[in-house]
C-alpha cells in the first residue's frame, strides 16, 4: 500500500486510459507478491488464510477504494467468487470462477430491481422459465454493480412462482454478451462511473442461457444469497474500518497543524471531543468486526452480529469522515484531500446490502424472539 497504492491514488482517481493501464500494472505486482485474491482459499485459486485474517488485511486494503481492485478482492467479484466456489459445478468453476480469480474477467450480481423495495427482495419480479434445455429470463434490474465491461452476471430470478416467498428464487449465471441484455451505467454519488466502478441498470428481454447455468439448486436463490451477502456485509465493514482509520489520522494531523484563534485546532475542546469519540467508536467497530469474522471462521451463522456491525459501522464511518472534513474546513470538500471522495462514498453505506433500518429490525427481532422463547439472549 505504501509503495504502490498511495502514491498512485490521484492518478487512479482520474479513471482514464492511463489509470486503466496503471491498474493492470499494479494488479500484476500484487499477484507476483502473493497477495492475490485473499478472500478465497488456495484450493479456489486465492491466497486466503481464513475470514479473521482477511479482516485484518482488508482494513489496510480498505484505506484506498482502488486497493480492493488492485488485490483482486473487489465487490461484487469477491462475493460472486465465494458462491461459485461453494455452489458451482466443476464446469461452472472452470468456466466462470477460474478467470474471475485469475483476474482475467469481472462479474456482476443482478438482484436489486427499481420497482421493488431492496429491503424486501421477496417481491422480485424478474422471471426465468425453463424452455427445453434453456432458461428464458425476462426482467429489469439496477444497481448491478460493475456490469459495464463484465464477462458475466449472476441473476436472481423467480423460477418457482407457486412456492413460498423465500423459495421462489434461483440464481442463474448469464454471460454479459447474451442476446437480449441491455446494460446502462447509472450515475451514482461518489462514483465517477467507468468499468468496475459503475452501478448499472440491466434489462433482460427473452435472454436464453443453458439450463446448466443454474447455480446451486432450484429455489435456493435466497439461501445462496445469504451465504454471499452475510460475509459480503462484513467485507464492506472491513474496508470501512480502513476508511475510518485513515480519516481519523488525517483529522488528528490537521488538528495539530492548523492554527486558528491563537492556537492549534487540537487545543479546542470540540475538536478534542471529536477525536476521543472517533477513537472509541472505531475501536468498537473493529472489535465487533473481528468477533463476527471469528464466528464465521467457526461456522457460526452470526446473523445478529453481522446486522449489528452493518448499521453501527455505517454510522461511525459517516460520523468520523464528517468530523475529519469539518476539521479540514474548505480543504476537506476539495479534491486536494481524499476526504471529499470518501465522504461521498460513505453515504451509500447506509443503503446498500440492506438499509440500516432493516438491519436494526433484524437485530431487535432476533433478540426479542430469544427472550420470548427462552427468557434470555446472549452473544454466542
Amino acid at each position: 500500500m505504501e509503495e504502490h497504492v498511495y502514491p498512485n491514488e490521484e492518478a487512479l482517481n482520474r479513471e482514464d486510459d492511463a489509470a486503466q493501464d496503471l491498474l493492470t500494472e499494479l494488479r500484476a505486482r500484487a499477484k507476483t507478491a502473493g497477495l492475490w485474491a485473499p478472500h478465497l482459499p488456495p484450493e479456489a485459486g486465492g491466497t486466503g488464510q481464513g475470514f479473521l485474517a482477511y479482516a485484518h488485511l482488508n482494513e489496510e486494503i480498505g484505506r484506498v477504494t482502488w486497493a480492493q481492485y488492485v488485490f483482486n478482492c473487489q465487490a461484487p467479484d469477491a462475493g460472486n467468487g465465494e458462491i461459485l466456489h461453494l455452489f458451482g459445478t466443476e464446469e461452472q468453476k472452470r468456466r466462470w470462477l477460474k478467470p474471475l480469480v485469475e483476474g482475467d474477467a469481472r462479474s456482476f450480481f443482478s438482484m436489486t430491481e427499481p420497482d421493488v423495495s431492496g429491503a424486501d427482495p421477496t417481491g422480485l419480479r424478474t422471471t426465468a422459465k425453463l424452455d427445453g434445455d434453456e432458461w428464458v429470463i425476462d426482467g429489469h434490474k439496477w444497481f448491478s454493480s460493475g456490469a459495464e465491461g463484465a464477462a458475466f452476471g449472476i441473476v436472481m430470478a423467480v423460477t418457482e412462482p407457486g412456492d413460498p416467498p423465500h423459495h421462489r428464487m434461483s440464481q442463474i449465471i448469464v454471460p454479459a454478451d447474451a442476446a437480449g441484455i441491455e446494460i446502462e451505467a447509472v450515475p451514482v454519488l461518489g462514483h465517477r462511473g467507468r468499468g468496475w466502478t459503475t452501478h448499472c441498470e440491466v434489462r433482460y428481454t427473452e435472454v436464453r442461457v443453458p439450463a446448466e447455468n443454474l447455480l446451486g439448486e432450484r429455489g435456493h436463490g435466497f439461501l445462496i444469497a445469504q451465504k454471499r451477502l452475510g460475509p459480503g456485509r462484513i467485507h464492506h465493514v472491513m474496508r470501512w474500518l480502513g476508511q475510518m482509520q485513515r480519516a481519523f489520522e488525517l483529522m488528528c494531523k490537521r488538528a495539530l497543524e492548523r492554527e486558528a484563534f491563537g492556537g492549534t485546532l487540537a487545543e479546542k475542546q470540540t475538536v478534542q471531543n471529536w477525536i476521543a469519540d472517533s477513537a472509541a467508536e472505531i475501536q468498537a467497530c473493529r472489535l465487533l468486526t473481528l468477533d463476527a469474522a471469528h464466528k464465521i471462521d467457526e461456522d457460526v451463522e452470526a446473523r445478529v452480529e453481522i446486522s449489528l456491525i452493518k448499521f453501527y459501522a455505517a454510522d461511525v464511518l459517516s460520523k468520523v469522515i464528517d468530523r475529519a472534513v469539518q476539521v479540514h474546513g474548505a480543504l476537506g470538500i476539495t479534491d486536494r484531500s481524499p476526504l471529499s471522495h470518501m465522504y461521498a462514498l460513505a453515504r451509500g453505506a447506509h443503503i446498500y446490502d440492506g438499509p440500516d433500518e432493516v438491519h436494526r429490525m433484524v437485530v431487535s427481532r432476533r433478540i426479542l424472539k430469544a427472550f420470548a422463547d427462552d427468557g434470555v439472549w446472549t452473544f454466542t
Side-chain angles (χ1 to χ4, degrees), residues 1-8 29:
M1 291 290 291
E2 293 283 354
E3 184 176 351
H4 301 293
V5 179
Y6 294 128
N8 290 303
R29 293 180 191 174

Side-chain angles (χ1 to χ4, degrees), residues 102 161 167 248 354:
E102 291 182 353
H167 298 278
F248 178 73

Side-chain angles (χ1 to χ4, degrees), residues 34-346:
L35 299 169
W36 192 248
H39 60 291
L40 288 172
E43 61 266 27
T47 59
Q49 300 177 13
F51 215 86
L52 189 59
Y54 185 50
H56 290 292
L57 185 64
N58 222 356
E59 181 174 344
E60 295 300 321
I61 291 172
R63 291 169 66 94
V64 178
T65 305
W66 291 104
Q68 56 182 297
Y69 189 71
V70 169
F71 293 99
N72 199 35
C73 57
Q74 69 279 0
D77 298 309
N80 286 346
E82 287 169 342
I83 58 176
L84 280 166
H85 173 55
L86 290 173
F87 299 100
T89 65
E90 290 306 312
E91 174 58 21
Q92 288 172 347
K93 292 177 183 179
R94 183 197 66 79
R95 184 175 178 187
W96 308 111
L97 178 60
K98 190 172 185 290
L100 199 65
V101 177
E102 291 182 353
D104 296 329
R106 289 192 296 101
S107 65
F108 61 98
F109 189 65
S110 209
M111 179 174 173
T112 305
E113 297 180 0
D115 299 322
V116 177
S117 170
D120 182 18
T122 59
L124 294 175
R125 299 173 185 173
T126 297
T127 62
K129 299 176 181 177
L130 201 57
D131 181 20
D133 59 356
E134 290 183 319
W135 291 105
V136 182
I137 303 171
D138 287 279
H140 182 195
K141 302 284 189 179
W142 76 336
F143 277 83
S144 294
S145 302
E148 184 181 85
F152 69 95
I154 297 177
V155 181
M156 186 87 118
V158 177
T159 59
E160 323 300 318
D163 287 1
H166 286 91
H167 298 278
R168 291 175 187 160
M169 315 290 175
S170 300
Q171 294 191 21
I172 300 171
I173 305 168
V174 180
D177 60 357
I181 292 183
E182 299 175 68
I183 297 175
E184 180 183 356
V186 178
V188 174
L189 176 69
H191 294 264
R192 291 168 175 84
R194 179 178 177 180
W196 166 61
T197 63
T198 55
H199 298 281
C200 296
E201 191 165 10
V202 185
R203 296 180 186 273
Y204 301 88
T205 306
E206 294 186 9
V207 176
R208 290 180 171 268
V209 299
E212 58 265 27
N213 281 26
L214 179 72
L215 180 61
E217 298 180 34
R218 291 183 62 156
H220 283 205
F222 272 100
L223 172 66
I224 297 173
Q226 285 304 318
K227 290 289 186 180
R228 181 190 188 280
L229 294 173
R233 288 166 180 142
I234 299 185
H235 291 177
H236 284 311
V237 177
M238 291 170 180
R239 289 188 287 267
W240 297 347
L241 282 166
Q243 293 280 293
M244 296 173 202
Q245 186 65 34
R246 189 180 186 194
F248 178 73
E249 292 168 8
L250 289 168
M251 175 169 58
C252 292
K253 290 175 182 177
R254 181 69 172 178
L256 289 166
E257 296 168 354
R258 187 66 165 178
E259 293 191 2
F261 302 104
T264 64
L265 294 180
E267 298 170 19
K268 315 303 180 188
Q269 187 175 23
T270 295
V271 175
Q272 292 171 353
N273 288 341
W274 288 344
I275 290 169
D277 289 347
S278 297
E281 291 160 354
I282 292 170
Q283 185 64 358
C285 276
R286 183 177 289 115
L287 295 175
L288 286 168
T289 304
L290 294 175
D291 176 63
H294 172 71
K295 287 174 180 173
I296 286 180
D297 268 345
E298 298 293 319
D299 288 327
V300 176
E301 187 182 33
R303 287 286 297 279
V304 168
E305 289 83 354
I306 291 169
S307 283
L308 195 153
I309 63 170
K310 174 62 171 62
F311 74 76
Y312 181 71
D315 188 51
V316 173
L317 174 70
S318 293
K319 288 195 293 188
V320 173
I321 295 175
D322 186 73
R323 292 166 186 155
V325 169
Q326 196 71 7
V327 169
H328 281 72
L331 175 61
I333 57 174
T334 71
D335 284 345
R336 293 186 178 182
S337 164
L339 289 169
S340 63
H341 189 52
M342 293 164 68
Y343 188 86
L345 289 174

